[in-house]
Amino acid sequence: MADASPQARAVTLLGRPKLWLMPTVLTGLLALLLALLYMGGIVNPQGALHRLPIALVNGDTGKPPAGQQQNVGTQIAAAITSDKSNEKAGWRTLTRAEAQDQLDSGKVYGALVIPPDFTTSIMALTTADATARPTMTVLTNPGKGSLGSSLASQITTAAAHQASQTVGKQLTAAAGAQANPTSKLLLADPVNVVTQVGHPIGGHSGLGLSAFYYTLLLVLAGFMGGNVISNGVDTALGYADNEIGPWHTRRPTVPITRTQTLLLKMVMTAGITVVSVSLIMLATISILGMDATHIPLLWIYSYCAALAVGLGVQAINAAFGGVGQLVSMFVFIVLGLPSSGATVPLQAVPAFYRFLSHFEPMRQLSDGVRAILYFEARGDAGLSRSWLMIGIGAALALLFGFAMTRYYDRKGHVRLTPQPA
């Protein structure tokens, strides 16, 4: 019997430059892209911030001061909205009821409210017995995320203090030398700024981040589930090797077209997603106690969202083959996280990520989850658009996947030489 061929040694192979070239280039490019994409979306939210939606409510009903055509609240509101030196805020002049509705639907990140008696309280400061300071209220919206709510609070608080100082200069000038030192101190910064929660959320909502992490779970369930199912089916049908530790097996190849294989994978994805989504809700809501209402709707939405991702993964894997998992990782996760708007507001990320947010799946899914968890499942809070985008995404996955597999089948592209039984 002939001697066995000599076995290659790792030390010898390490000296071959070609062995190093492709892994080095690919891993280096991946590391560079991941660093640029992830950090590029969050490294400077203040610098990228542009027109964050904030409500401005002027409820002042007082009469204008002597010699002036507008009351103080109207003057302050006009000064705030006409200030073009700072484009960080996108002020929306609303009534109190309209502002509350937009807080409750997640359309604004916060609000600045001028009360009805504002002018009356301001003019009372010029009297000898003035003691109380007028109040302006900053309303936050934690349902839009801790960072977004914080950015809005900073902007509204700064605007309120600037308005207070402006009014203070006018009052000080009007009082003149007649004002005593205590009155001058009160007049210099006459407005008291109070911060309140405009739209409360539950204490087990992760400070407004539970919607993001729940969405991430749905995307990962669809992404990982799709890849596990794809690899499992290929192994079971004999189109891929199965290695567990030192054991290697290869099953007999089942004759089947690419189109039928994709159909099998997608049907299995639809069935197995029922289990994964149910377990996600069991873990997050029943075991961990995450605040959630509209449970049946949340389950149906979660299933459809994860299924759309899973179908997309199957379509991409069928079209791109071995690199499909890498392509789907970029589509659903790498580009999705920084453009989701779930942690950093889209108004505080560079324009590239705002462009991606129009079609990246994670943004579409997170809007719907946020609407269900925080905003009473209102359609205008983003849920209606999310349903639409889930339908479009699932339809595109089906069309793209089956179009590619039918093309391959018609061209006679076989996957590999069958392994006989």
Side-chain angles (χ1 to χ4, degrees):
M1 185 171 64
D3 295 336
S5 300
Q7 299 291 312
R9 297 182 64 85
V11 174
T12 304
L13 296 176
L14 287 173
R16 298 183 179 182
K18 291 184 178 179
L19 187 67
W20 289 81
L21 180 60
M22 188 58 67
T24 302
V25 172
L26 288 179
T27 54
L29 285 175
L30 283 174
L32 178 63
L33 284 173
L34 288 174
L36 290 174
L37 290 171
Y38 282 154
M39 296 305 295
I42 57 94
V43 70
N44 186 20
Q46 286 281 7
L49 189 59
H50 180 72
R51 300 193 64 79
L52 188 72
I54 302 174
L56 176 60
V57 178
N58 176 28
D60 191 358
T61 58
K63 294 182 179 180
Q68 300 184 27
Q69 297 181 346
Q70 298 175 324
N71 60 29
V72 180
T74 302
Q75 296 176 33
I76 290 176
I80 290 175
T81 55
S82 63
D83 183 10
K84 302 303 181 183
S85 63
N86 188 347
E87 291 292 320
K88 292 184 177 182
W91 295 103
R92 300 180 180 181
T93 303
L94 305 170
T95 65
R96 184 65 181 85
E98 291 171 341
Q100 188 61 54
D101 182 70
Q102 295 208 7
L103 286 167
D104 293 340
S105 61
K107 294 179 180 178
V108 293
Y109 285 80
L112 179 60
V113 180
I114 302 172
D117 61 346
F118 190 72
T119 295
T120 303
S121 301
I122 286 289
M123 299 312 299
L125 294 177
T126 59
T127 62
D129 55 351
T131 56
R133 299 171 67 192
T135 298
M136 293 176 68
T137 304
V138 171
L139 299 178
T140 62
N141 196 354
K144 295 294 287 182
S146 54
L147 179 59
S149 182
S150 175
L151 290 172
S153 179
Q154 293 174 23
I155 292 171
T156 50
T157 300
H161 283 302
Q162 182 176 353
S164 176
Q165 294 173 4
T166 301
V167 171
K169 291 178 181 179
Q170 298 174 355
L171 293 177
T172 302
Q178 299 177 355
N180 57 47
T182 303
S183 297
K184 288 183 178 180
L185 184 62
L186 180 63
L187 295 178
D189 188 12
V191 179
N192 182 34
V193 181
V194 177
T195 300
Q196 298 177 359
V197 177
H199 178 79
I201 59 175
H204 289 185
S205 298
L207 299 178
L209 290 176
S210 61
F212 164 70
Y213 284 102
Y214 187 86
T215 303
L216 183 59
L217 287 173
L218 297 180
V219 173
L220 289 176
F223 172 77
M224 294 190 299
N227 283 313
V228 168
I229 293 168
S230 181
N231 294 334
V233 169
D234 287 343
T235 299
L237 298 181
Y239 289 91
D241 293 344
N242 184 31
E243 290 189 66
I244 301 177
W247 295 281
H248 170 269
T249 59
R250 176 73 176 276
R251 299 180 64 85
T253 303
V254 177
I256 187 171
T257 64
R258 290 176 181 268
T259 301
Q260 288 298 309
T261 303
L262 178 60
L263 178 60
L264 174 62
K265 292 177 179 179
M266 286 190 167
V267 172
M268 290 183 64
T269 300
I272 294 174
T273 300
V274 172
V275 178
S276 58
V277 165
S278 299
L279 291 175
I280 286 174
M281 293 189 65
L282 174 67
T284 56
I285 299 174
S286 299
I287 298 177
L288 298 177
M290 181 185 78
D291 288 323
T293 56
H294 308 283
I295 302 298
L297 174 61
L298 181 62
W299 187 92
I300 295 172
Y301 180 87
S302 301
Y303 173 75
C304 293
L307 177 59
V309 174
L311 296 179
V313 169
Q314 301 295 9
I316 291 173
N317 287 347
F320 293 95
V323 299
Q325 294 185 15
L326 187 61
V327 174
S328 59
M329 183 185 75
F330 267 85
V331 171
F332 292 106
I333 298 177
V334 175
L335 296 177
L337 283 171
S339 62
S340 67
T343 53
V344 180
L346 291 175
Q347 293 81 5
V349 298
F352 171 68
Y353 298 95
R354 291 198 292 272
F355 167 73
L356 290 179
S357 71
H358 292 296
F359 52 85
E360 263 298 318
M362 192 172 292
R363 186 277 171 99
Q364 324 308 327
L365 302 186
S366 66
D367 282 355
V369 171
R370 190 185 299 276
I372 296 173
L373 292 183
Y374 304 149
F375 300 118
E376 295 299 323
R378 291 178 51 163
D380 60 349
L383 184 57
S384 296
R385 184 178 185 277
S386 293
W387 277 121
L388 176 63
M389 297 303 290
I390 286 174
I392 292 175
L396 288 177
L398 294 171
L399 290 173
F400 175 68
F402 285 112
M404 294 302 296
T405 54
R406 287 178 63 84
Y407 170 78
Y408 292 151
D409 288 337
R410 287 197 305 268
K411 290 294 184 179
H413 296 302
V414 294
R415 299 182 69 186
L416 46 75
T417 303
Q419 177 80 12

